[in-house]
């Protein structure tokens, strides 16, 4: 139950935050942070138990009939992520308070951050895939609202939309995959699904499931070719970038891959897909990062690269690789979160975001510099920091990779080298050299701004120096959740003189060189930059534009605003469907019926036909009304011929009244004009003709069958004895089926009210914005 | 005094009778707006109360039947209440009450004086009549009742946009009515009955001539127009953005759903003999309706027009469930309808509040204020409704979409699953468009068409209250997704169990014919298709 | 004679729908009238035309003779006639309102989609 | 249309036509006729009056406002449907009583029942709506083109 409490406490606080923010003012962040801090502490105390193999569990039935349960379970994987989410989350809440200061909507931001935190905890602790998905989508929504925090800027709105569409699209793929898994395995519970693992692996849907899961994970974790939304998301305020877009949300995709690895890991395409896309993303992200000068964008692209690394590690799938992946993930969360907050603090302190226009800040912000340096060195993979351990393990793992070994080693070393460059660029460059001119005079950050980056950077150091206290158990525990059992291994700074160390040294040397010659490197890369024109980001833009064009085009075509074409299409559809069915099934035999028509009948028929055709052909209003009346009176006579005096009288009266109304109204209307072209008229005539044939056919086919006389007989038998009326039609109307008549008179009453409202609309406010009259 | 015997079970007609009485009395009190208002609201509340009672009754027991006038079925008219009909009636009550409350603060006095309230009452009576009647021709009559009052409401006090929209609406809906009427006559000609249970019995017993398929397709197109399915939806986006917001909202919530209801009723209870054929047509229509509707929404730049096209798109989802024709899929349709009616009406109400605050409904032009900054509560209401509509968890729309997708996956209808998923994304896209343009965008004094003649006025408390209540229902449907889904399942089972319906209306002995008449499965047709067996159930 | 009136119903429906597709809104509303007639004849014919007396129980008898016309279709058509009268009356007046406010009787000149997304 | 001849004729025709409509109404249950047709005949009579004199004087002649008349008709119809409920019968079931019947001779007499009241409701309603249509259309302020139109959505009043 503790888990449920933890998650719901976060959501509860989120709901109260806007109100609390008003009460507490700028200090609110510190208060809000107590909840995540408490969660982190709780997790830490329970960590030994979890790591020794007894996960914490909690359950809240939600909609069991739908297979949806909030079934939580914290294993090694959940512990690692849970600590990151709550730990970094607490720091970010404090940081956000300081960053936004007295901003009017500061507490709104914190509220969304808390929503996000709760959702993220839900994702990483869910035992039930459907529950996981629910929280997964919530992270997308809260991310949307967070990226668009500066909602009055169009760029922020566009970036929020981009992130939402990409991750939302992936979310739908994931949903379908989850549905397929549930359909095969009969449950959405991971445990139950694992029991059905063999069935799932043998399913013909396996390929589709793997691809759909990957689409979900790759979009969320900004893997190539979906990486482009992440740099765009830097439109968000820095606390958001630090939290969502470096240390937590983007890792949700990786979490998903890790979570499903035991289930899908042996599928043929799983490993190669992850390795290939991870490696591509790793290299691409690193290259793109070097090209940037804007601090947050540098960090964003390098985050893309790091996410690629972890994906690749999961793809390789060996014990070494998985451990390396989680060690790197932990290191990355610490150093990247720290660096983002540093970037934000710099921006806050001097109003400049461009790394190349910053310099010499070490004197104004010494403490921040220390934090930044530690984080940057960790990122660069230098000892004695956690980044170093992660990178060493990774190189070792690639060297031992079962397939594609050389390519992976080269790619990883290359990316590591560029990461060194990027680390210096983002974490060191702004502080060294001579003081650069900035929009604001640099001043030291407040404690709130310093706490986050400082603490995270220090943790990166502490975890590396004392790996056994936290880093080793956490990484191994997470790896154990993926691999099935916890590997016998320990993380250490010193591994001896291994090939990995050599590659590492090479990478640092190359990276430092590239940093020194970054102008040359950049101009070189800019030449490749031409590729941007065909890149996925362009594709996204083109797709969006294309979608709008298609949408507009088809809508303009269909919803043309022209009533004529509406009727035409509607009628055409009716004719096609009904006529088609009749054609296919009915094969209308031309059957004139048992009896030949008599002369009066022929005459009446001719009168009605003549009237209706004359209505179509007449060119004046009065002629048309007269013709219409002819058809109507003809109808009345027809009713007389076939034993319907009530009908005939009613038709006669109604027709007379109709003619009167038509005359009264049409005299105020213009003369008939013909608007359509002959071709249109021909097309309309054709459709009308087929429609007429359809009605004739239907009537003929049905008239051939004898109507079951049960009802007619019953009415005839019961009319006099039970309803005291001899006119059976009238008895049906006022007694047997009086409900119809009640509806009928209601229609009449409403029609009269409607006419009254139309003709006596009351006082109209005249305005001159009306359409021009031509 | 003498007359046919009968029980005094009035309950099944109350949802029709109460608003109808309110309307009749309002006509008598045509001089007093206050009385009309009170009567109208009382009528809607009474409708809701009776509908809830009905729902409770059918939840506890069997299908409720009232033989109107105590004339036995299939001779008189039967009012039949099963779970589906009851829940639809409850939803009509909810939207009805919401509309009355919202109207008080939002519809101008001039329109109200044109007998606005009785019109609304009759609209509700017509909608409920359609949901509850068990007679095909009576269904036609109730359709006309609701149609006529919707015509009047649409054109009421009409400006140019309104009457132009109305003429399109009227024309296409009357075409639909004529087709419906012809089809009803043909059904009587072919089967000799109008009672739905009796039709179902005869179709199941194999008494129907083969041409009945063509008649059922004719009915399908007639209801397809009412439901605004592709390619019969044109009247909807042409008119729904023109009347007052309250009227738009009740239309959006209820009217197309009557068409969906009729489709569901026809193709689960009555015309199931050739389901491979008819439901294949429905499936294609469902996919195209979703896609074309959402693309239409993506192309619009006016608040209510985006929403209008979305109605079309979501009708596609509802038809999808019917077309898949599995118990789960039908349950999905029912869940979707429940969710949709509440959310859609609410979005139109919120559009009304937004229009009032912004001074424009255009999404191109910045309004008078950035709602997100200045009206956080309204923004929150919109977020709930919009993300629910887009099918985001944990709101009602997610579960509705989820059930349908699940049904699609289990039926292995990949095309429709892919379409439904993709349309979900596009729905999200157009909801965020409204959000970004109407809520996030900053006011720009240089930007033109804000209607300066309309004085800025805060929304009335009733307006906000209405939207809050409906948003709360949306959230509650999400929280209680389990019970709602279980109810939908029970309702779907009841729908698919035609014999239960037949037994309730015609009595146990009617079913005896099914056993002697051969198979009871839904794929019967008689060999030569020329004559129908003569002889009714009695 | 079934065929005769099936054809008459068809002709009415064809003429009605043709008028429904006219851009002139006055003709359109006349089309609605014809379609209504068509529906009534279709019902009447499909349920079997009988050249017999009205469905009135003769004085002195208790039940309707078997030869009399089927009263139910008549009741249906009667209801339909009345309903369509109400609806047509409203539609005609609506047409006049459209003319009075919009100033045109050409339905193609009604605007509807001026707010659409421009194709970029 | 101020034709003296017509006005004079109307004075005599009006009561006759109304009487005729009552007859048609009353025989409707047993012979062709009924509330709807009878109502239209009565409406025709009043329309004649309106043509002979003017709409305003016809309104005066009718005394009751047409909206109320429609309301009365509808209420009467619903009431006759609901009345059986008071006697423990179901909605719309007919309640009958006979006047002047003689069970001894088997003469059923005149049967009076709720269906007749229902039909009366129909009759009144039909008179109401037919007159509303005719009078509204006859009175001047009818539809003529009114210039730039009102486009209000009506939500600001």
């Amino acid at each position: 139950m503790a888990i449920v409490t933890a998650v719901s406490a976060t959501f509860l606080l989120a709901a109260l935050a806007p109100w609390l923010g008003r009460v507490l003012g700028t200090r609110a962040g510190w208060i809000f942070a107590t909840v995540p801090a408490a969660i982190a502490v709780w997790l830490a105390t329970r960590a030994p138990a979890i790591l020794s193999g007894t996960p914490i569990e909690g359950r809240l039935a939600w909609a069991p009939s739908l297979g949806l349960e909030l079934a939580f379970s914290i294993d090694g994987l959940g512990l690692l992520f849970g600590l990151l989410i709550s730990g970094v989350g607490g720091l970010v809440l404090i940081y956000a308070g300081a960053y936004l200061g007295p901003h009017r909507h500061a507490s709104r931001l914190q509220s969304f951050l808390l929503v996000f935190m709760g959702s993220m905890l839900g994702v990483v602790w869910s035992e039930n895939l459907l529950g996981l998905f629910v929280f997964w989508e919530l992270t997308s929504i809260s991310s949307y609202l967070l990226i668009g925090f500066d909602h009055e800027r169009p760029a922020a709105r566009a970036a929020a939309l981009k992130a939402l569409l990409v991750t939302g699209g992936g979310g739908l793929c994931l949903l379908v995959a989850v549905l397929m898994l549930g359909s095969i395995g009969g449950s959405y519970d991971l445990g139950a699904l694992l029991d059905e693992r063999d069935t799932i692996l043998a399913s013909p849907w396996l390929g589709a499931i793997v691809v759909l899961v990957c689409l979900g994970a790759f979009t969320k974790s900004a893997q190539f070719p979906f990486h482009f939304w992440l740099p765009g998301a830097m439109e968000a305020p820095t606390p958001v970038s630090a939290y969502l877009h470096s240390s937590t949300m983007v890792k949700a995709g990786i979490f998903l891959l890790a979570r499903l690895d035991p289930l899908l890991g042996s599928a043929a395409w799983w490993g190669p897909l992850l390795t290939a896309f991870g490696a591509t993303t790793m290299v691409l992200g690193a290259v793109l990062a070097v090209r940037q000068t804007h601090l947050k964008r540098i960090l964003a692209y390098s985050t893309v690269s790091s996410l690629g690394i972890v994906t690749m590690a999961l793809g390789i799938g060996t014990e070494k690789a998985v451990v390396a992946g989680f060690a790197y993930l932990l290191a990355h969360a610490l150093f990247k979160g720290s660096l983002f907050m540093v970037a934000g603090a710099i921006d806050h302190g001097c109003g400049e975001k461009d790394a190349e226009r910053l310099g010499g800040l070490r004197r104004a912000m010494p403490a921040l510099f220390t934090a930044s340096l530690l984080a940057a060195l960790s990122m660069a993979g230098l000892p004695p920091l956690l980044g170093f351990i992660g990178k060493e393990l990774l190189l070792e793992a690639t060297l031992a990779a079962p397939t594609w070994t050389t390519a992976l080693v080269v790619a990883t070393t290359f990316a590591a080298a560029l990461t060194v460059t990027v680390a210096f660029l983002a974490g060191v460059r702004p502080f060294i050299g001579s003081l650069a001119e900035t929009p604001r005079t640099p001043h030291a950050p407040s404690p709130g701004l310093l706490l986050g980056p400082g603490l995270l950077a220090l943790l990166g150091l502490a975890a590396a120096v004392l790996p056994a206290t936290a880093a080793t158990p956490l990484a191994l525990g997470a790896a154990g959740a993926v691999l099935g059992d916890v590997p016998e291994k320990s993380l250490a700074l010193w591994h001896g003189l291994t090939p990995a160390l050599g590659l590492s040294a090479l990478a640092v040397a190359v990276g430092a060189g590239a940093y020194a010659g970054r102008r040359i490197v950049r101009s070189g890369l800019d030449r490749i930059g031409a590729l941007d024109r065909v890149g996925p980001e362009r594709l996204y833009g083109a797709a969006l534009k294309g979608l709008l064009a298609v949408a507009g085009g088809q809508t303009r075509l269909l919803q043309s605003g022209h009533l004529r074409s509406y009727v035409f299409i509607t009628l055409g559809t009716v004719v096609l469907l009904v006529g088609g069915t009749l054609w296919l099934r009915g094969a209308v035999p031309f059957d004139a019926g048992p009896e030949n028509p008599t002369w009066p009948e022929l005459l009446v028929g001719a009168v009605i036909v003549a009237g209706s055709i004359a209505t179509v052909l007449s060119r004046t209003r009065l002629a048309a009304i007269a013709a219409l009346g002819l058809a109507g009176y003809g109808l009345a006579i027809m009713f007389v011929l076939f034993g319907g005096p009530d009908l005939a009288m009613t038709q006669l009266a109604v027709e007379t009244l109709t003619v009167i109304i038509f005359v009264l109204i049409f005299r105020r209307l213009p003369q008939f004009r013909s608007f359509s072209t002959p071709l249109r008229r021909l097309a309309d005539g054709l459709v009308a003709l087929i429609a007429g044939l359809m009605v004739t056919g239907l009537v003929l086919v049905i008239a051939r069958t004898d109507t079951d006389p049960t009802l007619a007989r019953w009415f005839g038998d019961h009319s006099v004895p039970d309803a005291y009326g001899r006119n059976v039609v009238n008895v049906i109307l006022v007694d047997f089926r009086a409900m119809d008549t009640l509806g009928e008179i209601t229609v009449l009453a409403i029609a009269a009210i409607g006419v009254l409202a139309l003709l006596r609309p009351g006082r109209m406010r005249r305005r001159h914005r009306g359409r021009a009259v031509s | 005094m003498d007359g046919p015997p009968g029980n005094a079970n009035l309950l099944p007609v109350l949802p029709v009778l109460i608003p109808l009485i309110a309307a009749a009395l309002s006509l008598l009190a045509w001089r007093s707006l206050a009385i009309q208002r009170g009567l109208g609201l009382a009528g809607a509340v009474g409708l809701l109360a009776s509908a809830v009672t009905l729902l409770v009754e059918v939840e506890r027991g069997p299908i409720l039947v009232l033989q109107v006038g105590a004339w036995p079925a299939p001779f008189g008219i039967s009012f039949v209440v099963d779970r589906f009909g009851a829940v639809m009636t409850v939803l009509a009550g909810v939207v009805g009450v919401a509309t009355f409350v919202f109207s008080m603060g939002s519809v101008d006095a001039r329109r109200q004086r044109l007998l606005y309230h009785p019109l609304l009452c009759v609209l509700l009576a017509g909608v409920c009549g359609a949901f509850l009647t068990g007679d095909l021709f009576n269904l036609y009559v109730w359709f006309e009742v609701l149609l006529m009052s919707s015509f009047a409401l649409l054109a009421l006090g009409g400006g140019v946009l309104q009457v132009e929209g109305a003429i399109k609406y009227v024309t296409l809906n009357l075409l639909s009515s004529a087709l419906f009427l012809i089809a009803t006559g043909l059904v009587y000609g072919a089967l000799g009955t109008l009672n739905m249970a009796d039709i179902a019995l005869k179709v199941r017993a194999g008494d129907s001539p083969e041409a009945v398929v063509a008649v059922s397709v004719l009915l399908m197109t007639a209801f397809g127009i009412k439901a605004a399915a592709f390619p019969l939806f044109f009247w909807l986006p042409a008119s729904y953005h023109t009347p007052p917001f309250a009227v738009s909202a009740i239309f959006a919530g209820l009217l197309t759903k009557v068409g969906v209801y009729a489709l569901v009723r026809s193709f689960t209870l009555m015309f199931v003999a050739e389901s491979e054929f008819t439901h294949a047509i429905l499936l294609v229509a469902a996919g195209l309706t979703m896609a074309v509707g959402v693309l239409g929404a993506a192309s619009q730049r006016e608040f209510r027009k985006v929403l209008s096209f979305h109605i079309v798109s979501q009708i596609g989802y509802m038809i999808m469930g019917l077309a898949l024709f599995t118990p789960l899929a039908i349950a999905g349709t029912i869940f979707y309808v429940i969710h949709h009616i509440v959310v859609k009406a609410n979005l139109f109400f919120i559009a009304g509040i937004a229009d009032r605050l912004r001074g424009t409904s255009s999404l191109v032009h910045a309004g008078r204020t950035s709602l997100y900054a200045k009206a956080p509560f309204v923004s929150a209401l919109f977020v709930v409704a919009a993300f629910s509509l887009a099918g985001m968890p944990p709101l009602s729309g997610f579960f509705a979409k989820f059930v349908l997708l699940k049904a699609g996956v289990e039926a292995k209808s990949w095309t429709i699953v892919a379409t439904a998923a993709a349309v979900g994304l596009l729905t999200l896209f157009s909801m965020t468009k409204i959000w970004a343009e109407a809520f996030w965008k900053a006011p720009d004094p240089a930007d033109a068409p804000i209607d300066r003649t309309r004085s800025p006025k805060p929304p009335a408390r009733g307006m906000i209250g209405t939207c809050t209540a409906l948003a709360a229902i949306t959230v509650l449907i999400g929280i209680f997704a389990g019970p709602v889904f279980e109810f939908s399942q029970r309702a779907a089972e009841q729908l698919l169990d035609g014999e239960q319906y037949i037994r309730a209306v015609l009595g146990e002995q009617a079913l005896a014919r099914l056993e002697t008449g051969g198979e009871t499965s839904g794929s019967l047709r008689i060999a030569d298709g020329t004559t129908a067996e003569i002889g009714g159930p009695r | 004679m079934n065929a005769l009136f099936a054809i008459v119903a068809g002709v009415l429906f064809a003429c009605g729908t043709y008028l429904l597709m006219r851009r002139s809104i006055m003709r359109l509303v006349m089309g609605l009238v014809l379609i209504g007639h068509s529906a009534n004849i279709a019902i009447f014919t499909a349920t079997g035309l009988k050249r017999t007396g009205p469905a009135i129980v003769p004085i002195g008898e208790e039940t309707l003779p078997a030869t009399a016309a089927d009263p139910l279709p008549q009741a249906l058509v009667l209801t339909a006639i009345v309903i369509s009268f109400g609806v047509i009356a409203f539609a005609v007046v609506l047409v006049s309102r459209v003319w009075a406010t919009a100033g045109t009787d050409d339905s193609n000149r009604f605007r509807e989609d001026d707010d659409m997304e421009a194709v970029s | 249309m101020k034709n003296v001849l017509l006005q004079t004729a109307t004075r005599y025709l009006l009561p006759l036509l109304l009487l005729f409509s009552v007859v048609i109404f009353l025989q409707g249950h047993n012979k062709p006729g009924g509330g709807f047709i009878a109502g239209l005949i009565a409406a025709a009579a009043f329309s004649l009056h309106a043509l002979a004199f003017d709409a305003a004087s016809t309104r005066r002649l009718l005394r009751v406002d047409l909206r109320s008349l429609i309301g009365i008709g509808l209420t009467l119809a619903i009431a006759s449907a609901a009345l059986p409920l008071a006697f423990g019968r179901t909605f719309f079931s007919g309640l009958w009583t006979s006047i002047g019947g003689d069970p001894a001779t088997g003469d059923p007499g005149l049967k009076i029942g709720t269906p007749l009241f229902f039909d009366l409701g129909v009759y009144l309603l039909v008179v109401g709506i037919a007159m509303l249509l005719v009078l509204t259309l006859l009175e001047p302020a009818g539809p003529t083109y009114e210039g730039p139109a009102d486009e209000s959505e009506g939500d600001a009043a």
Side-chain angles (χ1 to χ4, degrees), chain B residues 120-193:
Chain B
L120 270 184
C121 277
V122 173
L123 181 74
L124 287 172
V127 168
C128 292
F131 289 153
L132 297 176
T133 186
D135 186 282
L136 199 58
F137 188 78
N138 199 237
L139 178 66
Y140 164 79
V141 172
W142 293 120
F143 259 118
E144 294 297 296
V145 169
L146 74 91
L147 208 55
M148 192 61 237
S149 38
S150 71
F151 292 168
L153 281 168
L154 193 61
L156 203 63
V160 62
L161 277 180
Q162 249 182 292
V163 289
E164 284 176 4
I167 195 108
K168 293 170 184 168
Y169 178 92
V170 167
T171 305
L172 290 165
N173 273 291
L174 287 185
L175 179 60
S176 155
S177 292
L179 297 174
F180 184 10
L181 181 60
I182 293 175
T184 309
L186 295 176
V187 167
Y188 180 73
L191 299 172
T193 187

Side-chain angles (χ1 to χ4, degrees), chain B residues 310-325:
Chain B
H310 269 300
I311 301 178
V312 174
S313 178
Q314 281 136 19
I315 294 297
Y317 280 95
M318 299 170 206
I319 299 178
M320 167 184 165
L322 172 62
L324 289 173
F325 205 46

Side-chain angles (χ1 to χ4, degrees), chain A residues 61-141:
Chain A
W62 184 349
S65 48
L66 283 163
L68 172 58
E69 257 192 298
L70 294 187
F72 296 118
S73 159
I74 309 184
D75 58 356
L77 196 60
L79 177 70
L80 172 66
F81 277 91
L83 277 172
L84 284 178
I85 293 158
S86 54
V88 179
L91 294 174
V92 162
L93 281 173
I94 296 169
Y95 181 85
Y99 185 83
L100 288 174
H103 188 292
R104 202 153 53 97
H105 294 140
S107 56
R108 201 181 279 183
L109 184 87
Q110 285 162 325
S111 168
F112 291 151
L113 281 172
L114 282 161
V115 169
F116 171 78
M117 186 188 298
S119 323
M120 205 56 210
L121 289 174
V123 168
V124 299
W125 290 344
S126 275
E127 231 322 87
N128 180 297
L129 278 183
L130 208 52
L132 184 150
F133 178 79
V134 168
F135 289 114
W136 176 281
E137 292 289 79
L138 271 175
T139 64
S140 292
I141 298 175

Side-chain angles (χ1 to χ4, degrees), chain B residues 181-390:
Chain B
L181 181 60
I182 293 175
T184 309
L186 295 176
V187 167
Y188 180 73
L191 299 172
T193 187
L194 293 166
N195 185 294
M196 291 182 189
D198 203 19
I199 295 171
L201 179 70
K202 291 189 168 179
V203 168
R204 280 174 172 71
D207 288 353
S208 58
E210 197 170 8
V212 167
V213 188
V215 179
S216 73
V217 175
L218 183 61
L219 269 181
M220 187 194 291
T221 53
F223 295 151
I225 296 175
K226 309 260 184 217
F230 175 85
L232 313 164
F233 59 77
F234 306 107
W235 56 271
L236 193 153
S239 59
Y240 270 24
H241 61 290
T242 60
F245 286 89
V247 174
S248 283
I250 192 168
F251 282 18
L254 294 181
L255 294 197
T256 47
K257 262 55 71 182
V258 182
V260 172
Y261 169 86
L263 277 175
V264 171
R265 191 59 85 195
S266 305
F267 292 95
T268 57
L269 175 67
M270 292 185 274
F271 303 106
V272 290
E274 304 227 17
S275 54
E276 311 91 49
F277 178 71
T278 48
H279 290 65
I281 299 178
L282 285 172
L283 193 63
V284 174
L288 288 170
T289 306
M290 290 178 200
V292 171
V294 86
L295 286 176
S299 69
Q300 299 303 315
R301 301 198 293 189
E302 205 260 352
F303 206 134
R304 277 196 283 182
K305 286 186 122 184
V306 178
L307 296 179
S308 299
F309 273 100
H310 269 300
I311 301 178
V312 174
S313 178
Q314 281 136 19
I315 294 297
Y317 280 95
M318 299 170 206
I319 299 178
M320 167 184 165
L322 172 62
L324 289 173
F325 205 46
T326 62
L328 184 66
I330 304 281
T333 293
I334 296 170
F335 200 130
Y336 205 102
V337 173
I338 296 173
H339 137 78
H340 174 94
I341 289 179
V342 174
V343 168
K344 202 59 195 221
N346 200 14
L347 279 171
F348 273 89
F349 286 134
I350 295 171
I353 297 178
D355 179 82
R356 195 177 255 210
L357 288 168
R358 293 177 71 234
T360 174
S361 270
S362 165
L363 299 179
V364 188
H365 305 290
R368 210 181 260 138
T369 163
S370 162
L371 292 176
Y372 184 64
K374 298 281 164 52
F377 188 68
V378 177
S379 305
L381 290 175
F382 179 79
V383 165
V384 169
F387 279 113
S388 177
L389 194 77

Side-chain angles (χ1 to χ4, degrees), chain A residues 62 65 108 112 137 144 151 161 172 551 554-555 559 561 573 585 701 707-708 710 724 735 737 740 761 763 771, chain B residues 2 71 110 135 137-138 164 168 189 202 211 231 234 274 292 295-296 372 393 421 432 435 440 478-479 486 536:
Chain A
W62 184 349
S65 48
R108 201 181 279 183
F112 291 151
E137 292 289 79
Y144 171 74
H151 55 93
L161 178 65
L172 284 166
Q554 72 115 31
T555 310
Q559 196 77 27
T573 310
R585 302 304 181 89
V701 171
T707 302
D708 182 345
T710 316
Y724 314 109
D735 202 337
R737 293 184 66 94
D740 283 344
R763 188 178 52 85
R771 62 186 306 173
Chain B
D2 53 330
W71 302 111
R110 180 171 66 87
D135 186 282
F137 188 78
N138 199 237
E164 284 176 4
K168 293 170 184 168
K202 291 189 168 179
F234 306 107
E274 304 227 17
V292 171
L295 286 176
Y372 184 64
T432 53
W435 173 252
W440 265 354
I479 292 174
E486 285 149 30

